[in-house]
Amino acid sequence: ISLDKLPIKRLESIEEFGSERFPSDVDYDEKRVNLIRRIDFAWAVWQWKSLVENLQLAHQELSVIIDLINTVETNDAVTVAGMTRPKPLPNEHLSDLAVSTATKLQCFRSLGKYFKQSAKALEEQIAREARFYGALIRLQQNWKIKQHRGNEGFYIDLFDNSLYNSARPSMSTIPVEHDAAGMLTVNLPRKSCHTLQFEFLGGPAKDHANDDERVKEMHLTLREVHRAIHDEQVFDLVNREACNPSLRVNLTGIKENYLRLSIGQGSSVSISLVPSDEPNQLGFEIYLRQVFHEYAFVKAKNKNSNILGHFCMSIAHRIFSNKVLSLLENLTPYVRLISHPTWSRTSSWTLSMKIPQSILHAGRSQFWTKVVVIDDSISVEGEGAPSVVGLFKGKADGVSSINGYDSDLADLPIILLQQVASQIIQWLHEESLTVGIKATRDFLSLAFELEQGEIVRLVAHVDPEDTQGCISWWLTIDNGEEHKLHSYRKFLGYLSLDLLYSTLLDFLNLCS
Amino acid sequence: MDPQSQTTSLQRLENVEKRIVRVLELAGGVMEEMANPNGPRKDLVNSHCSEFMQSVKDIQMTLREEIKSACEYRPFEKCDYVPRISNEICCKKLEYVIVQLDEMKQTIEGYGDLA
């Protein structure tokens, strides 16, 4: 039994003089401690005591064992003979089994997942590779695909050195790469001015293009590079030949990827290697490629065949024949102009004039004159009438040549018109004989003798500048004597063949 | 597997790849079935396993055939680059001719308008 003190302030003591002494106040913590002290721990002390005793016993045993282990470790006196596991209790056995079974199931599950994931990954890889190799095989049908040593990857070889020994151009091997989706791409690096420029392939904007279109685009790109390589090789050959001195070709300027040549009197030409997006429509470009390709790659002829000289002479001929053609075109429509198929250094045309249907007899139906230009020499050939030029040169052959370049070109229209005029005279002569008029033929005139001995002449006059008719006619009447004191001239102007023929018939009346 | 005459060699090899994927799927299916807490369904496991064995046999047979019949790879015996450039040049010629013909046509049409 314990009694609490009443919470009354008690006097602790009174002094003699009456002053009271109270006990000091107890603070909070002290009050708590006092309360704790009042708890009875007697029952716990008993349990605590047995626990402490057990621990002490265990501690003693462990110390013994530790000593034993230390002794065995040092191998001094005792070694381990054998160890037996403690026999598992049935519930321990079962729980071990359960754990191992669960572990096995877990392994199966993860293995199953691993297999399925592998299958999926393999399927995706196969699909990617099928696209890649499918595209590669399609490209291989047209291009040489090679593999780097050690299976590092593929590249496309655009160079063929089987026929012609030259250095391999730097852009002739193109690496084959993968894009982000694993599909085949061909990327071409930008280079300096003497190669072509290309578009980069495989950007994200091309998602809409299917594989077919992309392979076709790659074909186009590879074709461009292939052509560019050939262009480089042609330019290289041109360069080499141009630098050899030659009579037909003069090198007048040289820069990087640029040559200037003079090919005859006053004509210059340049050959250059430019980026491909500058279009050049000249047929000469095509011809240059063809000529070198044929000689250097197909027939592989002797390098001294002077291909460049032949090419330049073709250009010179082309320029010259264009000049000739423009002169001939000025004669139309007075005469008909027909162009013939030409080869590289030959051109030819025919000028013709048709006899009208109404006065057509048996015999020829048209006059023709043929103009042939080979390199820069012109030859004129006319049917029937002796060549005017031949008369100049003292020959009466049907064919005669005008040699020369530029200097005689201005005379060509006059010569041709005189040729035609003489053909007309020839025809009139034949017709007059047919109808029974005695006529004599001269240079460009037809003469008839009248009863009184007068001589009437039809004289042809040629003027290429005359727009009304390049060949016009004069009528002259002489009294036949040497002095020609009484001569009469009348300009008749342009006369069609109809009118000429009817004029002839008029003479018939006069003469008979 | 398809008989050899109907498919190309490449197609047969691609088929083998697909079969391998299938075989992996079967193995995964069997393992998942074995991990079934109620125990594996015997018929399913049996059908998967028999399909697996058959597929592996077929794969082996096809690969052996393909390896036997693969010919030696002789690259570029007849390289066609030279005729190819000839063709390119011909194409350029044709383009040029077409341009000329178009111009001629325009000229003719021009005269037609005047007439």
Side-chain angles (χ1 to χ4, degrees):
Chain A
I1 293 174
S2 64
L3 296 173
D4 289 339
K5 281 202 272 195
L6 287 174
I8 305 168
K9 282 228 168 163
R10 294 179 181 278
L11 276 175
E12 201 169 341
S13 61
I14 296 182
E15 310 237 309
E16 291 177 359
F17 303 105
S19 57
E20 295 169 347
R21 209 178 281 264
F22 288 96
S24 54
D25 271 330
V26 182
D27 66 357
Y28 184 65
D29 283 334
E30 251 190 77
K31 279 191 190 158
R32 277 200 358 179
V33 168
N34 288 339
L35 285 173
I36 288 168
R37 281 201 187 110
R38 302 223 359 250
I39 296 174
D40 184 10
F41 283 107
W43 65 274
V45 170
W46 175 250
Q47 308 279 4
W48 179 254
K49 221 171 148 192
S50 73
L51 177 66
V52 167
E53 278 170 9
N54 283 339
L55 280 177
Q56 281 173 343
L57 284 172
H59 183 258
Q60 279 174 7
E61 283 185 42
L62 276 176
S63 312
V64 168
I65 292 171
I66 284 169
D67 282 341
L68 182 61
I69 289 172
N70 286 337
T71 314
V72 170
E73 267 187 342
T74 55
N75 247 337
D76 277 348
V78 202
T79 46
V80 178
M83 284 199 292
T84 56
R85 292 186 72 173
K87 209 167 171 190
L89 301 170
N91 62 337
E92 281 181 350
H93 199 71
L94 275 176
S95 72
D96 279 348
L97 206 59
V99 164
S100 70
T101 309
T103 314
K104 236 185 222 171
L105 283 182
Q106 186 61 33
C107 285
F108 282 149
R109 206 172 294 125
S110 59
L111 195 59
K113 216 192 290 184
Y114 173 72
F115 279 144
K116 292 236 161 137
Q117 279 172 354
S118 300
K120 190 116 204 311
L122 189 61
E123 196 173 32
E124 283 167 11
Q125 186 184 347
I126 286 169
R128 270 202 311 274
E129 284 184 356
R131 283 181 80 202
F132 179 85
Y133 285 107
L136 192 65
I137 280 177
R138 284 178 69 183
L139 288 178
Q140 194 178 34
Q141 287 166 358
N142 291 314
W143 308 99
K144 293 198 276 190
I145 309 263
K146 292 183 179 167
Q147 204 170 10
H148 287 299
R149 290 214 188 98
N151 281 0
E152 275 168 27
F154 296 97
Y155 64 95
I156 301 175
D157 181 10
L158 291 175
F159 184 64
D160 177 20
N161 61 349
S162 56
L163 287 180
Y164 167 57
N165 286 326
S166 74
R168 173 183 278 275
S170 56
M171 61 170 155
S172 67
T173 63
I174 296 175
V176 168
E177 288 158 358
H178 296 75
D179 71 0
M183 175 53 172
L184 190 152
T185 60
V186 168
N187 282 332
L188 304 153
R190 289 181 177 273
K191 285 205 165 181
S192 61
C193 67
H194 55 261
T195 60
L196 303 181
Q197 293 187 346
F198 299 98
E199 207 183 295
F200 280 92
L201 303 174
K206 297 249 175 165
D207 276 344
H208 62 276
N210 62 23
D211 285 358
D212 217 28
E213 286 165 26
R214 288 173 73 170
V215 172
K216 279 190 188 147
E217 272 180 45
M218 282 187 264
H219 272 306
L220 281 174
T221 311
L222 289 168
R223 278 177 65 200
E224 276 182 43
V225 182
H226 201 216
R227 284 198 294 256
I229 289 173
H230 187 253
D231 283 0
E232 264 200 26
Q233 290 174 322
V234 166
F235 189 78
D236 181 48
L237 289 170
V238 167
N239 223 336
R240 286 190 210 184
E241 286 202 19
C243 292
N244 288 332
S246 134
L247 287 174
R248 291 184 267 189
V249 173
N250 275 330
L251 183 62
T252 56
I254 182 165
K255 288 193 275 195
E256 193 190 5
N257 301 323
Y258 176 88
L259 291 172
R260 194 173 61 237
L261 310 164
S262 89
I263 51 171
Q265 303 181 15
S267 292
S268 264
V269 73
S270 80
I271 300 170
S272 54
L273 209 54
V274 296
S276 73
D277 53 354
E278 292 180 21
N280 191 344
Q281 299 295 323
L282 280 181
F284 295 137
E285 189 193 78
I286 298 171
Y287 185 58
L288 180 67
R289 288 192 186 111
Q290 182 190 319
V291 154
F292 274 93
H293 184 251
E294 220 170 285
Y295 278 86
F297 300 104
V298 176
K299 296 180 187 165
K301 281 197 174 160
N302 192 356
K303 297 293 178 350
N304 297 329
S305 57
N306 200 359
I307 307 167
L308 184 62
H310 169 72
F311 173 72
C312 289
M313 289 192 69
S314 301
I315 299 182
H317 168 78
R318 189 62 48 205
I319 294 171
F320 183 67
S321 88
N322 282 342
K323 286 185 192 167
V324 170
L325 180 59
S326 63
L327 287 177
L328 295 180
E329 281 175 345
N330 286 338
L331 300 179
T332 61
Y334 185 71
V335 290
R336 247 178 92 213
L337 177 64
I338 301 166
S339 298
H340 297 295
T342 63
W343 296 114
S344 51
R345 283 154 62 175
T346 307
S347 307
S348 75
W349 303 270
T350 297
L351 303 171
S352 75
M353 190 181 273
K354 261 184 133 162
I355 298 173
Q357 196 67 26
S358 51
I359 50 178
L360 191 58
H361 307 300
R364 81 180 100 126
S365 62
Q366 61 177 356
F367 317 120
W368 59 260
T369 304
K370 196 164 176 192
V371 179
V372 177
V373 180
I374 299 178
D375 278 334
D376 58 359
S377 68
I378 310 175
S379 67
V380 175
E381 186 184 325
E383 181 201 27
S387 163
V388 171
V389 180
L391 287 175
F392 273 140
K393 297 194 176 173
K395 295 189 289 187
D397 295 331
V399 178
S400 179
S401 330
I402 309 171
N403 283 326
Y405 178 79
D406 269 349
S407 51
D408 292 329
L409 205 54
D411 299 335
L412 183 64
I414 292 178
I415 289 169
L416 289 173
L417 287 172
Q418 285 175 344
Q419 183 80 9
V420 173
S422 75
Q423 284 173 336
I424 296 176
I425 298 279
Q426 164 97 344
W427 169 67
L428 284 174
H429 188 227
E430 286 166 7
E431 291 297 321
S432 65
L433 291 177
T434 309
V435 300
I437 307 173
K438 189 161 151 265
T440 51
R441 193 184 59 171
D442 195 359
F443 176 34
L444 284 175
S445 66
L446 196 61
F448 308 94
E449 196 174 335
L450 296 182
E451 290 171 344
Q452 294 85 352
E454 289 167 324
I455 298 189
V456 175
R457 275 199 182 86
L458 259 178
V459 183
H461 169 80
V462 303
D463 182 6
E465 311 288 317
D466 188 353
T467 49
Q468 295 227 307
C470 306
I471 300 178
S472 45
W473 299 90
W474 285 88
L475 183 69
T476 68
I477 304 176
D478 300 315
N479 59 10
E481 292 170 4
E482 291 285 330
H483 306 294
K484 296 191 174 67
L485 290 172
H486 305 286
S487 71
Y488 166 82
R489 301 169 85 82
K490 182 173 168 67
F491 183 65
L492 300 176
Y494 164 72
L495 295 174
S496 67
L497 293 180
D498 286 337
L499 282 174
L500 280 171
Y501 188 72
S502 59
T503 312
L504 186 68
L505 295 178
D506 291 341
F507 281 134
L508 178 63
N509 296 331
L510 279 177
C511 293
S512 60
Chain B
M1 296 277 219
D2 303 316
Q4 276 200 350
S5 57
Q6 283 182 7
T7 52
T8 66
S9 177
L10 185 67
Q11 283 169 331
R12 286 194 289 279
L13 288 171
E14 282 179 351
N15 221 357
V16 161
E17 284 181 325
K18 290 194 182 120
R19 282 255 170 160
I20 292 174
V21 170
R22 175 74 188 138
V23 151
L24 270 177
E25 282 172 356
L26 289 169
V30 165
M31 283 299 139
E32 280 178 353
E33 196 54 36
M34 301 288 270
N36 193 345
N38 299 329
R41 287 167 285 180
K42 281 225 175 79
D43 49 352
L44 192 69
V45 170
N46 277 338
S47 74
H48 274 351
C49 285
S50 54
E51 194 187 333
F52 179 97
M53 297 303 287
Q54 183 61 39
S55 297
V56 167
K57 203 168 99 179
D58 289 340
I59 288 167
Q60 200 176 10
M61 232 171 49
T62 309
L63 283 178
R64 189 180 292 133
E65 274 307 310
E66 292 303 317
I67 290 169
K68 266 197 321 197
S69 69
C71 60
E72 190 193 318
Y73 182 56
R74 269 185 250 130
F76 324 127
E77 276 181 326
K78 292 169 190 170
C79 177
D80 67 344
Y81 281 179
V82 168
R84 174 173 279 277
I85 287 288
S86 299
N87 279 345
E88 297 279 1
I89 292 174
C90 288
C91 278
K92 287 268 179 206
K93 285 185 191 174
L94 285 173
E95 283 170 18
Y96 185 67
V97 165
I98 286 170
V99 165
Q100 300 293 310
L101 287 174
D102 281 341
E103 285 176 7
M104 281 165 68
K105 186 175 168 201
Q106 279 179 6
T107 310
I108 291 169
E109 281 168 3
Y111 276 111
D113 292 341
L114 290 173

